[in-house]
Amino acid sequence: MLTELRIRNFAIIESVTLPLGQGFNVLSGETGAGKSIIVGALGLLLGERASADLIRSGAEKATVEGVFDVAKVRGLAELADERGIEVEDETLVLKREIAANGRGRAWINGAPVTATVLAEIGRELVNLHGQHDAQTLLDGESQRRILDAFGGAESQADLVRQIYSELSGVRREIVSLSSRRTEAEKRADYLRHVAKEIEDSRLSPGEDAKLEDEARVLENADELRTLATTLNELLSGEEASVLTQLGAAQRPLSSIERIDASAARMQELFDAGFYALQELARSVEDYAGSVDLDPSRLEEVRQRRDRLFGLLKKYGPTLDDVIEAGRSARAELDLIDTAQFDLANLTTRETDARRRLSAEAEKLTDMRMSAGKKLAKAVDVLLPQLGMPDGKFSVALISRDEPTGEGAEDVEFRVALNVGHEDRPLARVASGGELSRVMLALKTILARVDRVPTLIFDEVDAGIGGRVGLQVGDTLRRVAKEHQVFAISHLPQIAARAHHHIVVAKGAKGGVTTADISVLEGTSRVNEIARMLGGDPESKVSRAHAKELLESATAPA
């Protein structure tokens, strides 16, 4: 539930902190005092579009912050965690800021979020029903979800959704496989050519690099053998070779070591170098003997390299790409042979899924029809109490050509508010006040299945008064047994039914109009109810009437 709303520099509000409690909260005040501004601030907090025009004159930015106790909101902690938001002490703090340049920022528990995420979380916490709002109960998806919840059909709806998802997946496989087979059949001759050309080449990974190395050696064999022979003569030839000259250095080095034992390290270095050069000389001699002029092998390598070059040019750029092209061509050709069998299996699966979807969607339709009749009957009982004596509510199930993930029909809430008039979709009800009261009737009935903890009604009392106002107030008080209710009202009959009463008043600070709020109790509340009754708040008659209204709210039914 919403425990506190903080607003700074928003419209005419400089700074207010609005405390809210459990049950039914009401906000009253003179016309133009700023009641609707508070609702607008709440809308901003719940993700509505931001505008720099909303910033109070002279301020650089406007902020709205809401503190929510989410201890009893099922699934919210998991949803927040998925969005990277940590819930601490079962509390969520939503904050929205608008800067003078029109840019906005949002946070949840101090973590920056987008306005979309703010709205997503906000929808789980608050339903805001303003006089001109068309949300929550007005779109078909929400109405379908509400009807399923009311009729206990949620698990059946989930089953239909799962089967449809399975059916859609099979159908996508059929379309994909059919398309691939058709394409393969068109390209069959080309694919056979590609597969045969590459498979006949018997390629091995890295072969092109090995051929390049071998060709370079074969093409320079004469030069390599000459260089190796020359190097061998320098290292171990009979005349003035490196090893011969090193051998001559052994005698003075040994003499130095006999005189100075500390020179032993030089002997070790000499031995290591001499043995390494001996090993090098043997390797050079072996290499010189291994280099062979082989024109026939060179020709083979060149021909193989040219063949690979041709394949790389057509299917490359790398040899791995060529090998993959051959494999892919063969796989497409195999598809022509196997697709018919695979398509037959997929078609069988599609038929089975379609049959199951039809059967389960039919069960869902029956549940919705039963729930729709019960819901309509329950709403019709409440509409006269809310000032619509001729009101008739109905739930229309509009059949689809075939079942989908939502079932075999669209759900549409309809209402006829006057005798002789056809029922119309709820979203097309002309009067905002009537729409709010129809929503209130629905909320009263759906209170036990609606999981959103806070319901906010703006001008639910539009166009009513007298006894109907009392009935609306009693209805809001009943809804408040299941939800936190916050209503903006100018009717004393409704305000008197609230558990908590807050008043907003317009004043001036520093020559600039502002709005402030006060929590009313005792005498101050009696005075406000007396003012709302239209009499003199100081009049004994007005105060007596106000007390009577307040006392009747708590009187046993």
Side-chain angles (χ1 to χ4, degrees):
M1 86 177 174
L2 178 60
T3 60
E4 192 172 82
L5 180 66
R6 307 164 189 152
I7 307 170
R8 288 182 60 84
N9 297 322
F10 185 85
I12 65 170
I13 296 175
E14 181 182 27
S15 177
V16 299
T17 298
L18 193 69
L20 297 173
Q22 290 184 341
F24 179 18
N25 299 260
V26 73
L27 180 70
S28 67
E30 296 280 4
T31 301
K35 300 188 297 298
S36 294
I37 292 174
I38 291 175
V39 175
L42 265 168
L44 182 71
L45 185 65
L46 300 176
E48 291 184 4
R49 187 175 179 180
S51 169
D53 295 337
L54 298 172
I55 301 174
R56 176 177 162 83
S57 178
E60 294 183 356
K61 62 183 179 181
T63 60
V64 183
E65 196 169 6
V67 182
F68 294 85
D69 180 347
V70 297
K72 297 180 180 179
V73 185
R74 289 179 292 169
L76 187 67
E78 292 78 2
L79 177 63
D81 185 63
E82 290 171 4
R83 303 297 181 269
I85 301 162
E86 186 176 350
V87 179
E88 298 178 357
D89 299 324
E90 299 180 327
T91 297
L92 272 186
V93 179
L94 277 61
K95 183 178 180 181
R96 187 87 180 271
E97 177 184 282
I98 316 169
N101 60 9
R103 297 184 63 181
R105 295 190 295 171
W107 299 265
I108 298 180
N109 278 6
V113 297
T114 63
T116 301
V117 172
L118 190 75
E120 184 180 15
I121 297 294
R123 281 195 299 269
E124 299 297 316
L125 298 171
V126 177
N127 273 350
L128 175 58
H129 303 295
Q131 185 170 347
H132 302 291
D133 276 330
Q135 59 173 315
T136 308
L137 289 178
L138 299 185
D139 67 273
E141 181 181 352
S142 294
Q143 292 175 3
R144 181 173 55 248
R145 188 169 57 249
I146 288 168
L147 183 64
D148 289 342
F150 177 77
E154 290 174 306
S155 59
Q156 183 66 23
D158 286 341
L159 178 59
V160 168
R161 195 173 298 109
Q162 291 169 11
I163 296 173
Y164 182 74
S165 177
E166 177 187 338
L167 175 61
S168 298
V170 172
R171 285 174 172 170
R172 285 193 296 271
E173 287 186 58
I174 290 174
V175 170
S176 176
L177 183 57
S178 298
S179 175
R180 285 161 46 213
R181 182 182 67 169
T182 300
E183 187 63 26
E185 288 172 343
K186 290 179 182 177
R187 294 170 5 111
D189 290 341
Y190 170 73
L191 293 171
R192 290 190 188 95
H193 168 74
V194 172
K196 185 175 187 305
E197 182 178 27
I198 295 175
E199 289 168 357
D200 288 351
S201 296
R202 302 182 181 279
L203 303 175
S204 60
E207 181 182 0
D208 51 341
K210 294 177 182 177
L211 287 172
E212 285 295 332
D213 292 342
E214 186 177 1
R216 189 165 52 253
V217 171
L218 289 170
E219 288 168 351
N220 295 279
D222 189 48
E223 182 180 359
L224 288 172
R225 187 160 58 183
T226 299
L227 291 170
T229 300
T230 301
L231 181 57
N232 188 43
E233 284 294 323
L234 289 171
L235 289 171
S236 57
E238 294 181 359
E239 297 182 5
S241 68
V242 172
L243 288 174
T244 301
Q245 293 183 49
L246 275 176
Q250 175 64 45
R251 185 177 302 164
L253 185 59
S254 296
S255 298
I256 292 172
E257 185 181 5
R258 281 197 301 273
I259 299 170
D260 184 359
S262 65
R265 176 58 179 161
M266 290 191 292
Q267 181 63 51
E268 292 174 2
L269 291 172
F270 174 84
D271 291 344
F274 186 80
Y275 294 144
L277 283 172
Q278 277 188 323
E279 181 63 27
L280 174 61
R282 282 193 293 270
S283 296
V284 170
E285 185 177 7
D286 292 342
Y287 178 78
S290 68
V291 175
D292 190 18
L293 293 174
D294 190 347
S296 62
R297 176 55 186 166
L298 177 59
E299 183 60 26
E300 287 178 11
V301 169
R302 283 174 173 169
Q303 289 179 1
R304 181 64 174 174
R305 190 174 58 176
D306 289 344
R307 184 170 187 177
L308 263 60
F309 178 76
L311 293 173
L312 287 168
K313 195 171 181 180
K314 288 199 289 187
Y315 311 113
T318 69
L319 194 61
D320 287 342
D321 292 330
V322 176
I323 295 171
E324 176 57 25
R327 188 206 63 76
S328 179
R330 178 55 62 192
E332 282 195 67
L333 287 169
D334 292 342
L335 179 66
I336 297 175
D337 298 327
T338 62
Q340 191 61 40
F341 176 76
D342 293 337
L343 281 172
N345 286 337
L346 286 171
T347 302
T348 299
R349 287 173 55 196
E350 180 192 21
T351 301
D352 176 66
R354 192 169 60 246
R355 177 190 57 77
R356 287 187 289 119
L357 177 63
S358 179
E360 298 302 333
E362 186 175 349
K363 293 179 184 178
L364 181 58
T365 298
D366 291 341
M367 297 175 77
R368 284 173 174 169
M369 289 178 65
S370 176
K373 292 175 182 177
K374 293 177 182 178
L375 182 59
K377 185 176 180 180
V379 173
D380 285 349
V381 170
L382 286 177
L383 291 181
Q385 301 173 21
L386 297 174
M388 292 176 281
D390 299 318
K392 292 292 180 182
F393 179 84
S394 61
V395 178
L397 300 183
I398 305 168
S399 298
R400 296 182 170 184
D401 294 335
E402 62 177 48
T404 67
E406 288 75 38
E409 60 280 316
D410 291 315
V411 174
E412 186 175 76
F413 289 176
R414 294 179 177 177
V415 65
L417 298 178
N418 298 289
V419 175
H421 286 239
E422 293 183 356
D423 59 352
R424 302 171 65 188
L426 191 60
R428 293 175 55 200
V429 174
S431 165
E434 289 174 335
L435 176 59
S436 293
R437 278 177 276 148
V438 172
M439 287 184 169
L440 178 56
L442 280 167
K443 280 296 178 184
T444 303
I445 296 160
L446 300 171
R448 295 187 180 275
V449 297
D450 193 338
R451 296 186 299 176
V452 178
T454 299
L455 309 179
I456 297 175
F457 294 92
D458 183 19
E459 302 213 26
V460 71
D461 52 13
I464 64 172
R467 182 164 181 77
V468 174
L470 285 173
Q471 292 169 332
V472 170
D474 289 335
T475 301
L476 288 168
R477 195 175 176 96
R478 284 197 299 272
V479 174
K481 292 179 181 179
E482 303 290 339
H483 298 267
Q484 179 191 41
V485 174
F486 179 35
I488 314 298
S489 179
H490 68 278
L491 276 186
Q493 295 94 324
I494 290 178
R497 263 42 186 174
H499 298 101
H500 311 282
H501 193 158
I502 303 162
V503 66
V504 59
K506 187 161 59 175
K509 287 184 180 179
V512 180
T513 300
T514 187
D516 292 304
I517 64 101
S518 302
V519 177
L520 303 182
E521 292 180 349
T523 301
S524 62
R525 188 174 185 191
V526 172
N527 291 340
E528 174 63 9
I529 296 296
R531 182 200 65 77
M532 296 174 74
L533 283 165
D536 180 358
E538 302 300 324
S539 164
K540 290 183 179 181
V541 175
S542 297
R543 291 172 58 80
H545 191 182
K547 288 179 180 179
E548 183 183 351
L549 278 176
L550 289 167
E551 289 169 359
S552 66
T554 57

